[in-house]
């Protein structure tokens, strides 16, 4: 049996690739892991009691569309955070983390034809599920550079009209992983105007939206609040906001027509969130105190990083999120050198990007996740600086 062609050209996933790169190389010091964006700050301690209280719910199948209480808690959070009213019953679907939703949304909402083979746009570098989702939907993924020159966000408007005419979906990640760039009101207005002109949907991946410094980043729902609600599909998650990556809990919100399709696909092929975990998610979305504390911890880490790297040519201090995107002559060489000389482990930027017109925009970068506790992070980053930049 041959492997399905549409997935056969996928590069190995970033983390196995990193393991191969460093296989057989001894760390040059006590290992400090700065590779994966798996949060390590504390999650709200009170969630355990909620799981126990509702443990009987593990015995039955959970409701496909989420409990009304969870839908309402998410709608209330959207109203507070984005200043937009959405209908809890028809415009919210709880997800098992946003990765699942980002994938399934392409299957549910990308047409099979749009002036030919549909196109799905995405920034380059990017969160890798976008590419697999578009291939699974039979669309053509187009990797649009998000570089220092473009403010680390993709310039979709610069694409040729024939590509835009075929565009069905554009993924946008703001705050962006890996660069920490935030789409401004102006950026959103331009992108939404482009989406209106060429009639495509925007899949807004906002899972880093709560890890910011001073001002909360504008979200897609706020930017698009006067437009057709089917234009924007918003994804958000408790993974980074609440340090609950293992809970697998997020949501998708959009217009009722999009939501009908998403819910139908979920009913046939999806895995709804276990009921006790829906009860937890409901309470976690309603609480902002732990989010403020989490933000303060990241702010400290970002400020410390700035004191070290501000003087480095090409360094752009991240506006939000918890990654540094550091310029180096070659990402793989820097990663290997760093590991073998110091034990600090980072990710080569190229593993998050794709070749586009002969270059991979991540090639000359490393991504550094600021997830380790401050007492490991400070010496780790200091070693990184002296090893890579002298
Ligand atoms: C940009 C981006 N989007 C989405 C996700 C998925 O998060 P989750 O499925 O935990 O909600 C991640 C996780 O690292 C991410 O970095």
């Amino acid at each position: 049996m041959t492997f399905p062609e549409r997935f056969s050209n996928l590069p190995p996933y970033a983390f196995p690739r990193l393991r191969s790169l460093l296989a057989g190389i001894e760390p040059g010091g006590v290992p400090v892991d700065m590779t994966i964006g798996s949060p390590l700050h504390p999650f709200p301690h009170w969630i355990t009691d909620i799981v126990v209280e509702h443990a009987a719910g593990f015995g039955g199948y959970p409701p496909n569309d989420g409990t009304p209480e969870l839908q309402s808690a998410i709608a209330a959070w959207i109203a507070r955070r984005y200043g937009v009213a959405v209908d809890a019953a028809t415009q919210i679907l709880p997800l098992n983390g946003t990765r699942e939703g980002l994938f399934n949304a392409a299957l549910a909402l990308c047409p099979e034809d749009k002036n030919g083979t549909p196109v799905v746009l995405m920034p380059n570098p990017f969160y890798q599920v976008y590419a697999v989702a578009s291939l699974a939907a039979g669309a053509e993924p187009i990797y649009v550079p998000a570089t220092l020159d473009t403010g680390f966000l993709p310039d979709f408007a610069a694409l040729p009209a024939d590509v835009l005419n075929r565009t069905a979906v554009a993924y946008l990640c703001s705050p962006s992983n890996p660069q920490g760039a935030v789409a401004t009101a102006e950026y959103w207005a331009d992108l939404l105007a482009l989406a209106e002109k060429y009639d495509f949907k925007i899949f807004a991946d906002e899972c880093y939206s709560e890890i910011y410094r001073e001002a909360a980043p504008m979200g897609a729902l706020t930017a698009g609040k006067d437009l057709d609600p089917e234009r924007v599909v918003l994804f958000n998650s408790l993974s980074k906001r609440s340090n609950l990556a293992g809970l697998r809990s997020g949501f998708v919100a959009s217009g009722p027509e999009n939501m009908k399709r998403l819910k139908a696909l979920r009913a046939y092929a999806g895995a709804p969130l276990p009921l006790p975990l829906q009860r937890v998610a409901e309470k976690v979305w309603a609480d902002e105190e732990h989010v403020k504390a989490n933000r303060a911890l990241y702010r400290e880490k970002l400020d410390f990083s700035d004191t070290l790297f501000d003087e480095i040519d090409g360094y752009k201090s991240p506006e939000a999120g918890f990654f540094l995107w550091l310029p180096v002559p070659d990402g793989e060489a820097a990663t290997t050198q760093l590991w073998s000389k110091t034990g600090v482990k980072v990710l080569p930027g190229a593993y998050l990007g794709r070749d586009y017109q002969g270059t991979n925009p991540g090639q000359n970068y490393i991504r550094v996740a600021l997830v380790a506790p401050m007492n490991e992070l400070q010496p780790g980053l200091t070693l990184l600086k002296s090893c890579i930049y002298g």
Side-chain angles (χ1 to χ4, degrees), residues 113-369:
D113 182 281
K114 190 176 173 214
N115 303 315
T117 303
V119 158
V120 173
L121 305 179
M122 63 201 70
N124 190 14
F126 60 100
Y127 186 54
Q128 297 292 300
V129 74
Y130 311 156
V132 184
S134 46
L135 292 172
E140 181 189 346
I142 300 232
Y143 310 109
V144 184
T147 60
L148 187 60
D149 291 344
T150 65
F152 287 123
L153 291 170
D155 183 4
F156 292 136
L159 291 165
D162 63 304
V163 170
L164 291 166
N165 277 323
R166 286 194 293 124
T167 298
V169 169
Y171 283 95
L172 188 77
C173 183
S174 170
S176 67
N177 169 7
Q179 312 95 326
V182 167
T184 59
E186 195 187 354
Y187 184 93
W188 276 122
D190 289 348
L191 177 56
L192 287 161
L194 194 73
E196 295 266 285
K197 179 169 176 196
Y198 289 98
D199 193 21
F200 60 83
K201 293 185 197 293
I202 295 169
F203 287 2
D205 179 358
E206 299 190 4
C207 66
Y208 295 95
S209 67
E210 304 316 288
I211 318 286
Y212 54 83
R213 287 165 173 231
E214 304 305 329
M218 181 182 239
L221 286 188
T222 313
K225 69 178 186 306
D226 298 325
L227 302 179
D228 177 356
E230 310 298 333
R231 184 64 62 206
V232 168
V233 185
L234 166 73
F235 300 86
N236 213 321
S237 168
L238 294 177
S239 297
K240 324 287 176 181
R241 171 189 182 269
S242 304
N243 301 311
L244 284 168
L247 185 69
R248 308 310 304 130
S249 182
F251 70 82
V252 52
S254 187
E257 290 307 314
N258 287 338
M259 298 308 298
K260 261 188 222 154
R261 288 163 186 267
L262 288 163
K263 287 177 180 181
L265 182 63
R266 154 66 66 82
Y268 279 101
L273 197 61
L275 190 62
L277 307 189
Q278 296 200 36
R279 298 292 179 206
V280 168
E282 179 193 322
K283 297 291 184 291
V284 177
W285 282 112
D287 183 70
E288 287 299 330
E289 287 314 305
H290 73 278
V291 186
K292 284 184 201 152
N294 190 31
R295 193 152 49 233
L297 290 175
Y298 281 121
R299 191 179 296 136
E300 222 186 308
K301 292 177 173 180
L302 290 169
D303 288 349
F304 176 73
S305 307
D306 282 350
T307 61
L308 282 181
F309 298 109
D310 255 347
E311 69 198 43
I312 304 297
D313 211 24
Y315 170 73
K316 181 158 183 307
S317 168
E319 291 167 81
F322 53 60
F323 297 111
L324 304 179
W325 187 237
L326 297 177
V328 292
D330 177 81
E332 278 193 333
T335 300
T336 312
Q337 180 192 344
L338 197 56
W339 174 247
S340 64
K341 297 222 160 108
T342 70
V344 172
K345 205 195 276 182
V346 298
L347 194 65
Y351 294 5
L352 302 166
R354 287 294 162 93
D355 278 346
Y356 175 81
Q357 295 174 345
T359 52
N360 180 326
Q363 186 70 39
N364 309 116
Y365 286 88
I366 50 174
R367 190 190 75 172
V368 181

